[in-house]
Amino acid sequence: MAFWDAWALTTEPATFAPNSKWSNKDMDVVPKYLRTWTAGDFVAYWLSDAANVATWNMASSMLAVGLSWRQVIPAIACGHFIIGIIITLNGTVGARLHTSFPVINRSSFGFYFSYFSVISRAILAMFWFGIQTTTGGECVYQMLKAIWPSIQHMPNHLPTTSNITTSAMMCYFLYWLIQLPLLLVPVHKIRYLFIVKSVLVPVCWISMFIWAIVKTKGVNGTGIFNEPARLHGSTATWAWFAALNSALGNFATLAVNIPDFTRFARSERAQYVQLAIIPIAFTFFAFIGITVTSCGYNLYGNVYLWDPLTLIDKWDNRAAAFFASFCFSLATVATNIGANSISCGSDLTALLPRYINIRRGQLICAIVGGWILCPWEILASAGGFLTFMGGYTIVLGPISAIMIVDYYLVHKGRIDVPALYQPHGRYRYTNGVNMRAVATLVVSIPINLPGLISSINPRIDAHSGAFPYNIAYLLGFVLAGGVYYIVSIAFPPTTTLTDELITGETDEKEWETSSGGKRDDSVILHVADAYDNS
């Protein structure tokens, strides 16, 4: 016990939870003096997330199946418009209640069943953290190559079975090490990193766009823009919907846990800008990726270089190569922190709040995702596993739908926030499980499993069962939303319904005091005791 006690968090008392076993400072409702994110910060956040390597090559798989660029761009725009709506709807909940995804999820899934969503999201975050870190390592390699070209000839002392070279491992470690201190920055302050990235990285992208246009004297007749669609009829329709689904799945994870960020919003309206900036930013940057790749087709031997780092590797201008690689490394680290690290830290905090806060959770994510999972091994030899993790949107879509329908249609926005922290409170449902959510998942997930299995192992022919997988996210979302609403109307969760929103922030507690914005612990303990005794 002495060992574990030494690691216990010595933070101020939990706001509404009966004791530190169920919450800590990072899980509590965000105090007013920390609600600092403005509309501009959310614009910077999404510009930061949009300008990354994944967005650059987003169109590659869509074009590869036979769609033309005129079909791909609308698919990307529509997909991000739809996911923008879902993100804004879930983000509004966080901005109103000022608490995190793991806590909000309890109102729809039940206090204990919410751990299913939390653990799922944490595992995904660790996995993608490692994958993004490998991309960051490639950025570092290009930066070092621009300074010391001799790194290309560094001897490899690792066996071929390790699936990584000595130089790649060195660059991976350097990037992981550079990224590590940024994980210690509090969430309400990390917005400054997004602001810096939202200025530097778009400048890099637009510069590459102008360079490509100038070098090829326009895009007319170049590569992609000169290729017609190779698919027609129903085949083209299904391929277009698959492209739409791919765009939707790009941020299916963040659509679930966006409250982790919007809870820091200065006002509910501050995060409404996401509805516009998400489709605009992602469509714009995807178009740049298509354009530069198309121009590169003519410049570098009629080969499509969808990886911008591969394109940069062919440049003779070392200064330009360094700047571009630096910008892509900045883009990757900001995306990794924003989309994976913070989310994982928040999820792990909910699992063991007595011992883990967001900072410790981020460090665990960095170690597990960065080293224990060996992401370079996954990328080299575990294609099926990679496909499975990418296909996990068949679960994330229903989770988002349940949360949205529960908040807006079932509870009509009237949530008892203090009860979200009570293991025996109104959101306990049946032994901590909302059976309506269980029934919804049982109905909405299996319909997409044949297509997922076939995508993991093409030798398994799912026949017509594979078609629903082309619209897996939309199908799962719509089906789950409809089923959950019907079940909730048929069997209303009467014990969880209230006549009004209960935030606990009226006369019950004061977040800001004359002493400079510290919590009044005596009031906090009074509120916690009152709910514990009830």
Side-chain angles (χ1 to χ4, degrees):
M1 287 296 294
F3 173 80
W4 291 111
D5 289 342
W7 285 95
L9 294 168
T10 56
T11 59
E12 52 198 299
T15 309
F16 297 124
N19 54 58
S20 61
K21 178 182 178 180
W22 303 108
S23 184
N24 60 35
K25 182 179 179 181
D26 286 346
M27 281 185 67
D28 291 346
V29 174
V30 176
K32 291 180 180 178
Y33 68 93
L34 292 181
R35 299 172 191 173
T36 57
W37 282 49
T38 63
D41 293 317
F42 284 103
V43 169
Y45 175 84
W46 284 110
L47 285 175
S48 171
D49 256 5
N52 62 49
V53 174
T55 305
W56 183 287
N57 58 34
M58 181 189 301
S60 61
S61 61
M62 303 177 187
L63 292 164
V65 299
L67 296 175
S68 71
W69 72 273
R70 290 182 177 86
Q71 294 169 316
V72 166
I73 291 297
I76 292 174
C78 290
H80 284 92
F81 177 71
I82 294 171
I83 203 68
I85 294 174
I86 296 171
I87 286 173
T88 304
L89 285 172
N90 263 335
T92 298
V93 182
R96 286 179 182 174
L97 307 185
H98 297 288
T99 190
S100 62
F101 153 69
V103 177
I104 292 172
N105 190 250
R106 293 169 179 172
S107 68
S108 53
F109 276 66
F111 194 92
Y112 292 119
F113 189 48
S114 67
Y115 290 134
F116 165 76
S117 303
V118 171
I119 293 173
S120 298
R121 177 65 187 103
I123 293 173
L124 281 173
M126 290 180 187
F127 170 79
W128 290 116
F129 180 92
I131 301 299
Q132 287 279 355
T133 302
T134 59
T135 301
E138 294 172 10
C139 294
V140 170
Y141 175 82
Q142 293 299 330
M143 291 166 63
L144 294 179
K145 176 175 169 287
I147 302 173
W148 298 290
S150 60
I151 193 175
Q152 300 174 84
H153 309 296
M154 176 182 288
N156 178 35
H157 300 291
L158 296 176
T160 55
T161 54
S162 64
N163 292 314
I164 191 171
T165 63
T166 300
S167 60
M169 177 60 79
M170 178 189 71
C171 293
Y172 181 90
F173 175 71
L174 287 174
Y175 180 82
W176 184 88
L177 204 60
I178 293 168
Q179 181 178 239
L180 195 63
L182 295 173
L183 306 183
L184 306 180
V185 179
V187 181
H188 66 280
K189 291 183 178 180
I190 199 65
R191 61 196 178 101
Y192 297 117
L193 173 64
F194 300 137
I195 291 173
V196 172
K197 178 188 170 182
S198 68
V199 174
L200 288 180
V201 179
V203 169
C204 172
W205 282 55
I206 294 172
S207 298
M208 293 179 70
F209 177 79
I210 295 172
W211 163 81
I213 297 297
V214 171
K215 290 285 286 185
T216 56
K217 297 179 174 59
V219 297
N220 290 330
T222 62
I224 296 167
F225 293 95
N226 200 36
E227 291 186 3
R230 301 190 304 274
L231 300 177
H232 304 282
S234 61
T235 305
T237 301
W238 277 110
W240 190 87
F241 275 110
L244 175 73
N245 188 71
S246 177
L248 280 166
N250 195 35
F251 277 97
T253 50
L254 205 51
V256 169
N257 68 276
I258 189 63
D260 290 341
F261 296 94
T262 57
R263 66 181 180 134
F264 292 94
R266 187 171 295 176
S267 68
E268 179 184 325
R269 289 177 296 179
Q271 58 90 44
Y272 288 162
V273 72
Q274 297 179 112
L275 192 60
I277 191 61
I278 291 174
I280 292 174
F282 280 90
T283 305
F284 174 69
F285 287 122
F287 177 74
I288 289 181
I290 291 174
T291 303
V292 178
T293 301
S294 181
C295 293
Y297 179 85
N298 285 10
L299 293 173
Y300 300 112
N302 296 335
V303 176
Y304 290 124
L305 303 175
W306 281 107
D307 186 345
L309 298 173
T310 304
L311 182 72
I312 293 170
D313 188 60
K314 294 185 175 295
W315 291 357
D316 295 325
N317 189 321
R318 289 161 59 185
F322 178 87
F323 174 74
S325 300
F326 170 78
C327 287
F328 274 104
S329 68
L330 178 62
T332 304
V333 71
T335 299
N336 215 9
I337 292 174
N340 299 316
S341 176
I342 290 175
S343 301
C344 183
S346 180
D347 294 337
L348 295 179
T349 297
L351 297 179
L352 284 173
R354 178 175 291 174
Y355 300 101
I356 302 177
N357 55 18
I358 289 180
R359 181 176 293 179
R360 290 182 181 181
Q362 287 183 274
L363 293 176
I364 293 172
C365 177
I367 295 171
V368 176
W371 295 104
I372 295 178
L373 292 182
C374 297
W376 56 88
E377 293 276 4
I378 295 174
L379 287 172
S381 58
F385 181 69
L386 194 64
T387 302
F388 168 76
M389 296 302 285
Y392 203 75
T393 54
I394 68 171
V395 176
L396 297 176
I399 290 176
S400 292
I402 291 171
M403 292 177 66
I404 290 172
V405 171
D406 181 82
Y407 180 80
Y408 290 99
L409 300 181
V410 178
H411 287 98
K412 296 179 171 58
R414 298 191 286 263
I415 299 296
D416 183 351
V417 176
L420 293 173
Y421 293 86
Q422 302 297 313
H424 299 285
R426 69 169 74 239
Y427 298 111
R428 182 175 174 83
Y429 291 98
T430 305
N431 297 320
V433 178
N434 181 4
M435 298 307 296
R436 300 161 191 81
V438 174
T440 299
L441 293 178
V442 169
V443 171
S444 59
I445 293 177
I447 193 171
N448 285 313
L449 286 178
L452 176 60
I453 293 171
S454 180
S455 67
I456 294 173
N457 187 353
R459 290 177 295 179
I460 300 176
D461 188 358
H463 301 290
S464 59
F467 285 104
Y469 189 66
N470 290 326
I471 53 171
Y473 187 88
L474 273 180
L475 179 61
F477 183 91
V478 173
L479 184 60
V483 170
Y484 186 79
Y485 181 71
I486 292 172
V487 173
S488 297
I489 293 300
F491 306 97
T494 53
T495 59
T496 69
L497 302 178
T498 65
D499 295 329
E500 60 182 358
L501 169 64
I502 303 174
T503 65
E505 288 191 275
T506 53
D507 297 331
E508 296 156 340
K509 69 176 184 297
E510 290 295 329
W511 288 115
E512 299 178 76
T513 67
S514 58
S515 61
K518 301 298 183 182
R519 302 185 188 187
D520 186 341
D521 287 353
S522 62
V523 176
I524 292 171
L525 286 170
H526 173 74
V527 176
D529 289 342
Y531 276 91
D532 189 29
N533 293 331
S534 65

